[in-house]
């Protein structure tokens, strides 16, 4: 079968926007490169599958630690990489925490890149909690792709994945926290779509928790205008203590994952070639040249 993202049903204006984006176009991912800048160390929610020592599973593989860059270092890295890898079309911020839990660092980085190289596409991945309040700034900067990780639209299920959120300077636990997260995610999605920003939704498939619910999530986010849904497998590494509180939480099998993707496919464009890159990935998809552009090298240059 087809192991790549399908985009055949997409309207022309969306096709035009994604044709040179390595993550969204199966043709483009052989020809264009992407780079993640790890400038956002903090997070504003807790996911059971995260233990904070590793990159955010919004986009990345948990279990790898990226060097956190200061905005000046990140801007320098982006421009250096863009100058040496001509296929570089997209720069994203995806952690290692949540990009919008650190808005000052994230926006300073985007702004610096925008000023010096207006040709680079900017994208961002977030859990969505603080998304609505930043939509105007994202639009003003010309960020045209945002990924929101949405694991449920039902607070009962959400509370089993996200034990708390940081909301108005306090931790809100359980159902109430999950309700806030879900409503912020849906509101952010609607606002972005209304303003013409492309929204992809990531969901982490967690057997016995949200596996049977994700089809409904897929339908809902499509209705609201997300253009792509990426169901990612839970990566549960007991050695790293992932999935706190649910010891022995297993990963989905390949067969379960592809059955769920097939089930969602009828309703939604499914992404099949996301590699869950680390928060400082550099290069073509499936390739990682982050070592060549490490912090030590950047500091030598700066
Ligand atoms: Fe960890 Fe990312 Fe969840 Fe934050 S949003 S708790 S960094 S997986
Ligand atoms: Fe693209 Fe997925 Fe890698 Fe992000 S994590 S750069 S969406 S392939």
């Amino acid at each position: 079968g087809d192991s790549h993202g399908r985009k055949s049903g997409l309207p022309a204006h969306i096709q035009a926007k994604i044709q040179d984006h390595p993550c969204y176009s199966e043709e483009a991912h052989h020809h264009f490169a992407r780079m993640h800048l790890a400038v956002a160390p903090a997070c504003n929610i807790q996911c059971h599958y995260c233990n904070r020592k590793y990159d955010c599973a919004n986009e990345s593989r948990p279990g790898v630690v990226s060097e956190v860059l200061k905005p000046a270092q990140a801007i320098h890295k982006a421009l250096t990489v863009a100058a040496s890898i001509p296929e570089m079309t997209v720069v994203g911020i995806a952690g290692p925490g949540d990009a919008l839990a650190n808005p000052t660092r994230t926006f300073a980085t985007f702004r610096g890149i925008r000023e010096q190289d207006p040709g680079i596409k900017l994208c961002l991945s977030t859990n969505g909690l603080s998304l609505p309040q930043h939509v105007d700034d994202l639009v003003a900067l010309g960020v045209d792709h945002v990924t929101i990780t949405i694991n449920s639209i039902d607070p009962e299920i959400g509370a089993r994945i996200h034990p708390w959120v940081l909301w108005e300077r306090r931790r809100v636990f359980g159902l109430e926290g999950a309700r806030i997260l879900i409503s912020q995610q849906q509101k952010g999605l609607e606002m972005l779509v209304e303003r013409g920003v492309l929204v992809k939704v990531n969901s982490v498939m967690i057997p016995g928790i949200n596996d049977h619910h994700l089809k409904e999530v897929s339908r809902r986010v499509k209705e609201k205008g997300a253009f792509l849904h990426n169901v990612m497998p839970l990566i549960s590494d007991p050695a790293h203590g992932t999935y706190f509180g649910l010891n022995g939480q297993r990963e989905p099998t390949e067969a379960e994952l592809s059955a769920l993707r097939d089930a969602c496919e009828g309703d939604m464009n499914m992404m099949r070639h996301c590699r869950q890159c680390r928060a400082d990935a550099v290069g073509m998809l499936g390739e990682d040249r982050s070592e060549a552009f490490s912090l030590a090298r950047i500091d030598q240059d700066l």
Side-chain angles (χ1 to χ4, degrees):
D2 176 4
S3 64
H4 297 295
R6 297 174 195 187
K7 55 182 174 51
S8 40
L10 293 174
H13 71 279
I14 291 183
Q15 295 242 19
K17 273 195 165 192
I18 64 177
Q19 66 189 0
D20 54 354
H21 195 301
C23 302
Y24 303 141
S25 151
E26 64 180 277
E27 289 87 32
H29 97 270
H30 301 294
H31 305 295
F32 297 102
R34 56 74 182 97
M35 166 175 32
H36 280 174
L37 295 171
V39 295
C43 192
N44 48 10
I45 70 174
Q46 177 70 69
C47 304
H48 271 309
Y49 49 71
C50 175
N51 77 1
R52 292 293 166 81
K53 283 202 219 127
Y54 306 104
D55 288 347
C56 174
N58 278 343
E59 193 77 354
S60 324
R61 226 158 242 292
V64 274
V65 195
S66 303
E67 302 170 308
V68 175
L69 304 181
K70 296 191 180 107
Q73 294 169 320
I75 294 162
H76 179 78
K77 176 174 179 171
L79 300 171
T80 309
V81 171
S84 56
I85 305 180
E87 301 86 4
M88 181 65 57
T89 54
V90 181
V91 171
I93 297 182
D98 186 78
L100 294 176
N102 304 259
T104 313
R105 300 170 59 99
T106 293
F107 284 103
T109 305
F110 277 157
R111 219 168 285 121
I113 296 170
R114 211 7 117 243
E115 278 162 13
Q116 300 186 56
D117 191 340
I120 293 179
K121 283 187 200 241
L122 304 176
C123 69
L124 172 127
S125 297
T126 177
N127 60 43
L129 182 68
S130 326
L131 183 53
Q133 74 212 64
H134 294 296
V135 164
D136 288 342
D137 288 337
L138 292 170
V139 172
L141 273 165
V143 171
D144 56 5
H145 301 77
V146 170
T147 300
I148 313 173
T149 299
I150 300 180
N151 296 320
S152 87
I153 50 173
D154 173 347
E156 299 276 351
I157 296 172
R160 299 179 66 193
I161 303 172
H162 308 287
W164 54 261
V165 305
L166 196 59
W167 186 247
E168 290 166 350
R169 293 160 170 258
R170 64 186 184 103
R171 279 185 190 185
V172 182
F173 294 87
L175 280 181
E176 196 193 341
R179 235 176 250 124
I180 294 170
L181 179 62
I182 291 166
S183 101
Q184 289 290 96
Q185 290 170 332
Q186 296 295 318
K187 187 169 160 198
L189 167 59
E190 288 164 18
M191 291 172 75
L192 289 170
V193 168
E194 213 176 85
R195 288 163 174 79
V197 178
L198 293 185
V199 182
K200 175 184 98 194
V201 169
N202 279 353
S203 300
V204 181
M205 179 187 188
I206 309 166
I209 309 276
N210 70 348
D211 45 351
H212 296 296
H213 174 59
L214 285 179
K215 212 182 151 188
E216 196 183 332
V217 171
S218 205
R219 208 177 302 122
R220 172 80 59 85
V221 300
K222 185 190 183 179
E223 266 163 31
K224 295 208 171 171
F227 83 102
L228 192 64
H229 189 199
N230 178 22
V231 176
M232 312 187 298
L234 170 73
I235 299 174
S236 159
D237 185 346
H240 288 143
T242 48
Y243 230 86
F244 285 159
L246 278 172
N247 265 340
Q249 175 63 50
R250 67 170 181 90
E251 300 175 354
T253 64
E254 271 299 322
E256 287 170 329
L257 182 64
S258 69
L260 175 59
R261 286 173 170 169
D262 289 344
C264 296
E265 184 99 65
D267 294 320
M268 183 49 150
N269 294 289
M270 298 301 290
M271 179 158 180
R272 301 207 187 223
H273 70 270
C274 175
R275 305 294 174 83
Q276 293 178 264
C277 310
R278 44 190 289 172
D280 61 359
V282 175
M284 308 293 256
L285 237 56
E287 172 194 71
D288 189 1
R289 295 168 63 180
S290 53
E291 276 308 306
F293 300 96
S294 69
L295 188 54
R297 302 223 179 181
I298 293 166
D299 277 343
Q300 267 171 25
D301 290 3
L302 267 181

